[in-house]
Amino acid sequence: MINRRLQYFCITFNLGRYVMKLILRVFGFLKGYRHLLILSIFFNSLFSLLDAAAIAIIQPVFEVLFGTQTSNAIPQAIVNKTDISFLAQLKNSFYDLLRQLTFGETPFDTLFRLAMMLFIIFLMKNILKFCSALVNTRFTENVVKAMRDSLFSKLVSLSMDFFNSRKVGELMSLTTNDISVMHGGISPIIYTIFREPIQIAFFLALLLSFSPKLTLIAFSTSILSLILIRFSVKYLKRYSHRMHDAVAGYTTALVETLSGIRIIKSLNAESTARQRFSRETQRYVSAAMKNQIVSSLIPSINELTAIGALSVVLYMGGTEVYSGNMKSEELLTFLFALFAIMKPIASLTEMPAHVQRGLAAAERVFAVLDLQPKVQSGTITVQNFSHSLHFDNVTFAYKEKNALENATLTVPKSKKIALVGSSGSGKSTFADLAIRFYDPQKGTIQLDGKDIKDFTLESYRSLFGVVSQESILFNDTIANNIRLASPLAEMSEVIRVAKIAHAHDFISSLPEGYNTYVGDRGMLLSGGQKQRIAIARALLHRPEIVIFDEATSALDSVSELAVQEAINDILSHQTAIIIAHRLSTIVDCDCIYVFDDGKIVESGTHTELIEKKGTYKHLYDIQFSS
């Protein structure tokens, strides 16, 4: 039994430390906005003080209305005690000052002055509330921005293996929904911690100044609330995780459906898409309902316990009034203060429900922020490419099966190297390793005799220009799409590479020219036009090595011809790695490497490979047999 309790204590202690660590990490985003935080605390403190003063001023109002006010200090029942407490003295001093400011010749004059003072207090309260809201909004929105920027920066810095194992919808949900939930669940702790305790302190001081006994009775129910919170936390955490999974699920369904809408419509699969999305949203509804049930029970039970305490206070306080130990206006003021203190206490007791969702989201966000890219940048800045890029016995596997095995290959400067083979033979993997999207598990890749791991990623990748099979354009102007890697490039440079890519003529014919927006994913342009813009984009920073990864395989014959002409013009004076499915496009290459099942099985010129009558000859005969 002792060991079990000790184990439970250790688990609880470690869990508490972990939760505090998460919260402190969230607070780490606040460092740049401390001035706003301090200003918010200042406004909230003044607001809390005025809130308590607005309740305290009720007693003189009641005294005037009940006709018990005299020119002496207020209230008589307390002043006559010889063992008066410090809080009671402070309260009496406040009321003495209030009497001096508001006491008139008639009760009507006093009541008018009290009413004006009450109005001024509430006016100042609302001004402070307005100022606090502005400061809080600026503070919270900047914190959310810092969180999103930090997460986005981490995402773009991670290696390609991370994106291979994650769904786009999941990452979208992480960046949008999880950040919002994390901020909405944890950041309000800042206001709750600084504002609500201040309000509670002021109201508690007011309550104690009237009757410590009634105050103790009123707060005797807090133990029940703490027990309730303790048991509800684990359920809230469980349902918060389920809600996240559901959000990631329907976000993924949405992204995939919108991305593949042409396929869905062509196959009449709208019904299937609707059912899939409906299933995912239903998962969210189920988890949200369970989370809400637990979340709603906490304030409901807390309110019931508070009302129970209030009823007991009303009865006990009434007996104090009838016995002459307390004035009726003091009891009424006490009850008003007790009502007022319930709101900040309720905010504190409801906090675990919000915090759990925030903590669940924070766990996922920080799990990504803590990741380190598998492909680490080196320390040497490479300036240029002088001799060759050499693969020395390179082996690479995405999971278990080797995608590339014992590959040895050299790309000399100013030469055109072609990679051919069936789909999945390892050609694109070779290109990904060349540009260091991944690092090989075995062997080395050397640039001019130095391991490419020694170079900084930025300087090394700047040596390459890549044109892939799918030309991804962004919803921006043609000029800005070409400038993607060099946003400060002069317009003359943009036009220069557009001419090289055989894109200048069709761009100039557009109504807006280079300022034409291409639409989402470049949908307002044809496939050939998008590909030629992609080629111009790859050439803008004057790369030393250009990689064409089946750049024409997805095009129609007319578009392929236009793009191939652009490629041929580039290749006349450029080091190039050409991954080709159509063998007719690479017959003039200096060396052709034939891949099969991750291995290089043949190499040589087109003529040499035809004479060998091996794999290349077989592929060539299949394509040209007609």
Side-chain angles (χ1 to χ4, degrees):
M1 180 64 72
I2 294 176
N3 290 336
R4 185 184 301 174
R5 288 180 178 177
L6 182 60
Q7 185 180 17
Y8 176 78
F9 172 79
C10 291
I11 293 172
T12 305
F13 178 74
N14 290 330
L15 181 61
R17 287 183 60 191
Y18 175 69
V19 169
M20 284 305 302
K21 183 179 178 182
L22 279 179
I23 293 175
L24 290 174
R25 290 194 66 180
V26 174
F27 285 2
F29 287 102
L30 314 182
K31 290 180 180 179
Y33 312 102
R34 289 174 182 167
H35 60 292
L36 293 174
L37 178 59
I38 293 170
L39 196 58
S40 176
I41 294 170
F42 174 72
F43 284 141
N44 285 321
S45 299
L46 287 180
F47 177 86
S48 300
L49 179 61
L50 290 175
D51 211 18
I55 298 296
I57 204 174
I58 291 175
Q59 182 180 337
V61 174
F62 283 145
E63 289 187 346
V64 173
L65 293 176
F66 295 158
T68 60
Q69 185 187 46
T70 67
S71 60
N72 298 320
I74 307 170
Q76 294 297 322
I78 298 292
V79 172
N80 291 333
K81 291 186 177 181
T82 57
D83 57 344
I84 185 170
S85 67
F86 169 76
L87 290 175
Q89 291 179 18
L90 190 63
K91 179 194 68 174
N92 291 337
S93 298
F94 169 77
Y95 282 133
D96 284 339
L97 176 62
L98 190 61
R99 172 172 289 281
Q100 293 173 17
L101 295 173
T102 60
F103 184 75
E105 295 180 0
T106 66
F108 297 103
D109 291 337
T110 304
L111 191 61
F112 176 77
R113 293 179 183 180
L114 284 171
M116 289 303 298
M117 181 167 288
L118 197 61
F119 175 79
I120 292 171
I121 288 175
F122 273 90
L123 176 63
M124 293 176 63
K125 266 183 60 180
N126 281 278
I127 292 174
L128 286 170
K129 186 177 181 180
F130 175 76
C131 294
S132 178
L134 292 181
V135 172
N136 290 347
T137 300
R138 179 174 288 276
F139 175 71
T140 54
E141 292 304 323
N142 275 293
V143 170
V144 170
K145 180 184 182 302
M147 290 176 177
R148 286 207 173 102
D149 290 351
S150 180
L151 180 60
F152 184 81
S153 178
K154 171 59 72 171
L155 285 174
V156 297
S157 73
L158 292 173
S159 306
M160 289 301 298
D161 59 281
F162 170 81
F163 298 97
N164 292 340
S165 61
R166 300 295 182 101
K167 299 175 182 177
V168 173
E170 181 183 353
L171 299 180
M172 286 182 62
S173 175
L174 189 72
T175 310
T176 55
N177 179 70
D178 279 10
I179 290 291
S180 297
V181 171
M182 181 176 79
H183 170 71
I186 297 179
S187 293
I189 294 177
I190 301 165
Y191 310 125
T192 305
I193 286 176
F194 290 111
R195 183 177 62 191
E196 311 303 359
I198 292 173
Q199 280 191 305
I200 292 172
F202 283 133
F203 285 126
L204 185 59
L206 185 61
L207 291 171
L208 288 171
S209 69
F210 281 110
S211 175
K213 176 183 175 182
L214 293 180
T215 304
L216 182 61
I217 294 172
F219 283 91
S220 61
T221 58
S222 59
I223 298 175
L224 180 61
S225 297
L226 292 174
I227 294 173
L228 175 66
I229 291 169
R230 181 179 177 275
F231 282 101
S232 64
V233 163
K234 65 176 182 180
Y235 294 103
L236 290 169
K237 185 175 182 180
R238 178 189 305 169
Y239 298 137
S240 296
H241 279 293
R242 290 181 184 177
M243 289 172 69
H244 162 263
D245 293 340
V247 170
Y250 72 65
T251 305
T252 298
L254 175 65
V255 171
E256 292 179 351
T257 299
L258 296 181
S259 300
I261 192 66
R262 292 174 63 88
I263 298 297
I264 288 172
K265 286 188 172 296
S266 66
L267 296 174
N268 288 322
E270 291 97 332
S271 178
T272 303
R274 291 191 196 101
Q275 291 173 11
R276 179 190 177 194
F277 190 78
S278 180
R279 282 196 305 270
E280 296 298 338
T281 51
Q282 183 58 46
R283 283 179 58 208
Y284 179 82
V285 170
S286 299
M289 284 300 299
K290 292 177 181 178
N291 186 78
Q292 188 60 42
I293 288 171
V294 179
S295 300
S296 299
L297 280 175
I298 296 174
S300 298
I301 295 176
N302 284 336
E303 184 176 355
L304 286 174
T305 56
I307 293 299
L310 188 64
S311 301
V312 174
V313 167
L314 181 60
Y315 175 78
M316 297 296 294
T319 60
E320 291 286 305
V321 171
Y322 286 128
S323 63
N325 295 324
M326 192 175 194
K327 284 189 173 184
S328 56
E329 57 266 26
E330 292 177 337
L331 177 60
L332 287 173
T333 307
F334 185 92
L335 292 174
F336 271 96
L338 190 58
F339 267 115
I341 203 173
M342 286 181 182
K343 183 179 178 182
I345 290 177
S347 297
L348 287 175
T349 55
E350 291 171 15
M351 191 170 62
H354 300 292
V355 169
Q356 280 306 313
R357 284 201 67 193
L359 288 176
E363 285 185 71
R364 294 183 291 270
V365 171
F366 287 124
V368 174
L369 289 176
D370 290 338
L371 290 175
Q372 293 298 322
K374 288 188 177 179
V375 177
Q376 292 289 328
S377 182
T379 58
I380 302 174
T381 300
V382 58
Q383 301 294 337
N384 50 47
F385 169 50
S386 302
H387 304 292
S388 66
L389 177 68
H390 179 66
F391 277 59
D392 184 13
N393 201 33
V394 169
T395 296
F396 176 78
Y398 293 102
K399 291 183 179 179
E400 295 179 358
K401 187 177 184 299
N402 288 337
L404 202 64
E405 187 174 344
N406 299 325
T408 298
L409 188 158
T410 300
V411 181
K413 183 176 176 62
S414 301
K415 298 295 183 181
K416 299 184 289 294
I417 302 301
L419 314 178
V420 300
S422 58
S423 297
S425 60
K427 308 184 300 296
S428 294
T429 299
F430 176 90
D432 289 346
L433 291 170
I435 202 170
R436 259 205 103 190
F437 285 160
Y438 308 94
D439 283 332
Q441 284 94 9
K442 178 184 174 184
T444 59
I445 305 173
Q446 299 171 359
L447 180 77
D448 296 336
K450 293 182 179 179
D451 194 324
I452 63 173
K453 293 181 181 179
D454 296 335
F455 301 124
T456 63
L457 282 172
E458 183 179 0
S459 65
Y460 176 73
R461 286 178 180 164
S462 67
L463 299 177
F464 292 84
V466 181
V467 183
S468 60
Q469 180 178 352
E470 183 182 7
S471 51
I472 301 295
L473 299 184
F474 299 91
N475 194 3
D476 204 341
T477 64
I478 290 175
N480 286 342
N481 268 282
I482 294 174
R483 287 193 183 107
L484 181 62
S486 305
L488 301 179
E490 297 288 341
M491 195 61 202
S492 58
E493 277 295 293
V494 173
I495 295 174
R496 179 186 69 82
V497 293
K499 288 180 177 179
I500 296 174
H502 291 210
H504 178 70
D505 291 342
F506 89 78
I507 295 174
S508 300
S509 67
L510 296 172
E512 301 294 328
Y514 283 86
N515 292 322
T516 301
Y517 278 80
V518 301
D520 188 32
R521 299 173 64 87
M523 64 180 297
L524 300 181
L525 301 177
S526 69
Q529 290 172 335
K530 289 193 292 184
Q531 198 67 309
R532 280 177 278 173
I533 291 174
I535 292 173
R537 179 173 62 194
L539 298 177
L540 184 63
H541 64 280
R542 300 178 184 269
E544 301 272 359
I545 305 170
V546 180
I547 298 177
F548 293 98
D549 189 354
E550 301 196 25
T552 63
S553 63
L555 303 178
D556 58 79
S557 299
V558 176
S559 298
E560 180 187 6
L561 180 61
V563 173
Q564 193 58 51
E565 287 177 354
I567 292 174
N568 290 338
D569 286 350
I570 296 166
L571 294 180
S572 60
H573 57 275
Q574 188 80 52
T575 305
I577 300 172
I578 307 166
I579 300 172
H581 176 69
R582 295 188 176 108
L583 302 185
S584 59
T585 62
I586 49 91
V587 292
D588 294 328
C589 286
D590 296 294
C591 188
I592 301 170
Y593 289 87
V594 184
F595 285 73
D596 185 28
D597 197 24
K599 300 176 182 178
I600 299 175
V601 293
E602 291 178 343
S603 64
T605 63
H606 169 72
T607 303
E608 291 170 348
L609 291 173
I610 291 293
E611 291 175 353
K612 288 183 180 180
K613 298 181 179 182
T615 304
Y616 181 83
K617 178 66 164 58
H618 176 68
L619 294 173
Y620 187 84
D621 288 342
I622 291 174
Q623 288 192 24
F624 294 95
S625 59
S626 59

